Amino acid sequence: MKIENLIRNNIKAMKSYSSARDEFEDFEKEMIFLDANENPFENGVNRYPDPQQKSVKSILSKINNINEDQILLGNGSDEVLDLLFRAFCEPRQDNVITLPPTYGMYDVLANLNAIENREVILTNDFQPDLVQILEAVDQNTKIIFLCSPNNPTGNSFSDESIVTLLQKFKGLVVIDEAYINFSDKESWLQELNDYPNLIITQTLSKAYGMAGIRLGILYASKEITSILNKIKPPYNVNVLTQLKAIERLEKNDLVKKEISVLKSNKELLFKKLLEVNFVVKIYESEANFILVKVDDASKRYKQLLEQGIVVRNRSNQILCENCLRITIGTADENNKLLNTLKSLQNA
């Protein structure tokens, strides 16, 4: 397949905006900057940021053994996902496929960009229904979105299912790996060069604990990242985000220890939740949350809220009736949750 054939015609023809800092690339050299109409009085943020975030990409490249030109950074994962719609999906003509229950922003972005979202519901064991997915594909299907580990179910999709879609679908396959650091399964990053239609998105919001800085990451072929760089806003990742990202990425060993603690906390919480008499089922999870089926999700959600504990009621999603999604907290937070749940057993 040729990626070029998937790109919107107006995107192929357009010229990208060239910012002042795109034209000057040697940020390590001491220079007098009189090119970008900035305020010259130094305060730490008076200069525009590196539009290509080279320092951040350099660290990510080393951590993941991926070429820097295969990395695109954005203002949260939502921005890089939005760029995919803008680059490859023709409004009011093309369509994408999503697999509910899943991350709700795929549908929001599809609607925002006037793209049809063809929903193919997961099987009862929360796996892709390959027959239904491939039947839903037509000549205008540009992207299939796979969230693995999936939100809100917590499970990963089978390797066999993903390979089948990568091989049989002639469009882009996006694997959203926001929770991959909590899984025992390997990331699909090392498969990028084997599948030209593979795109992987990750984030610093979950395992790296940097939700507040809004940094999303996309990995793909150089051909795909070049197109996305062509249309992204020139300074989409600010100076402070880049600095905090570098600071955190350089503490990768500490992050791994925190992930280990959270995984241990999850195992303990899983066992203890089984002791709560109104818990009907707990789904296996490879993320930093657990999906829990209870007797009455709306009732239990309100009761927890009254006790100062906020969880997520996912009952409005298909296959998730009476399900609460509970994020793994600190040991103290998890104990407070469990004690509260047990106190509600006769309420």
Side-chain angles (χ1 to χ4, degrees), residues 9-142:
N9 289 330
N10 66 311
I11 301 298
K12 291 180 188 177
M14 70 175 280
K15 291 183 178 180
S16 61
Y17 173 74
S18 180
S19 69
R21 294 298 134 78
D22 278 313
E23 295 171 7
F24 176 81
E25 299 182 355
D26 190 357
F27 288 89
E28 301 299 323
K29 191 175 180 180
E30 194 70 30
M31 304 292 287
I32 296 174
F33 289 104
L34 302 176
D35 60 337
N37 304 333
E38 300 152 319
N39 185 320
F41 300 107
E42 184 61 49
N43 61 18
V45 292
N46 59 305
R47 300 294 181 185
Y48 285 111
D50 172 9
Q52 290 302 320
Q53 309 95 31
K54 295 182 183 66
S55 296
V56 182
K57 289 179 180 177
S58 176
I59 299 175
L60 289 170
S61 173
K62 291 181 176 68
I63 291 174
N64 295 302
N65 192 30
I66 298 293
N67 293 334
E68 291 180 36
D69 59 12
Q70 291 182 277
I71 305 173
L72 179 97
L73 302 182
N75 180 14
S77 294
D78 296 335
E79 182 182 45
V80 298
L81 291 170
D82 187 40
L83 289 173
L84 291 173
F85 280 95
R86 295 184 181 212
F88 296 101
C89 299
E90 193 67 47
R92 300 177 184 83
Q93 175 179 311
D94 290 334
N95 66 77
V96 299
I97 292 176
T98 62
L99 312 180
T102 193
Y103 181 45
M105 276 303 294
Y106 308 143
D107 186 57
V108 171
L109 292 171
N111 283 297
L112 180 64
N113 288 282
I115 305 300
E116 178 190 359
N117 176 21
R118 297 184 174 180
E119 297 184 334
V120 179
I121 299 169
L122 295 174
T123 63
N124 288 330
D125 58 350
F126 299 144
Q127 288 293 322
D129 188 331
L130 294 179
V131 173
Q132 295 299 317
I133 292 171
L134 294 174
E135 284 185 359
V137 170
D138 64 16
Q139 69 273 16
N140 292 323
T141 305
K142 290 295 186 67

Side-chain angles (χ1 to χ4, degrees), residues 251-313:
K251 298 177 180 177
N252 206 38
D253 288 341
L254 174 61
V255 172
K256 289 179 180 179
K257 290 179 182 178
E258 292 176 356
I259 292 170
S260 179
V261 170
L262 287 173
K263 290 172 78 170
S264 296
N265 288 356
K266 179 174 66 176
E267 290 179 15
L268 181 60
L269 182 61
F270 191 103
K271 293 176 183 177
K272 293 295 184 181
L273 283 170
L274 292 171
E275 300 173 4
V276 178
N277 64 11
F278 57 79
V279 169
V280 177
K281 182 176 182 177
I282 306 174
Y283 296 91
E284 294 291 337
S285 171
E286 295 181 63
N288 67 330
F289 59 82
I290 300 175
L291 188 68
V292 182
K293 190 177 184 68
V294 296
D295 57 347
D296 186 333
S298 296
K299 173 184 175 180
R300 302 306 178 184
Y301 172 80
K302 291 175 183 176
Q303 289 175 329
L304 286 171
L305 204 58
E306 289 169 357
Q307 298 299 316
I309 298 174
V310 186
V311 296
R312 199 83 190 269
N313 186 353

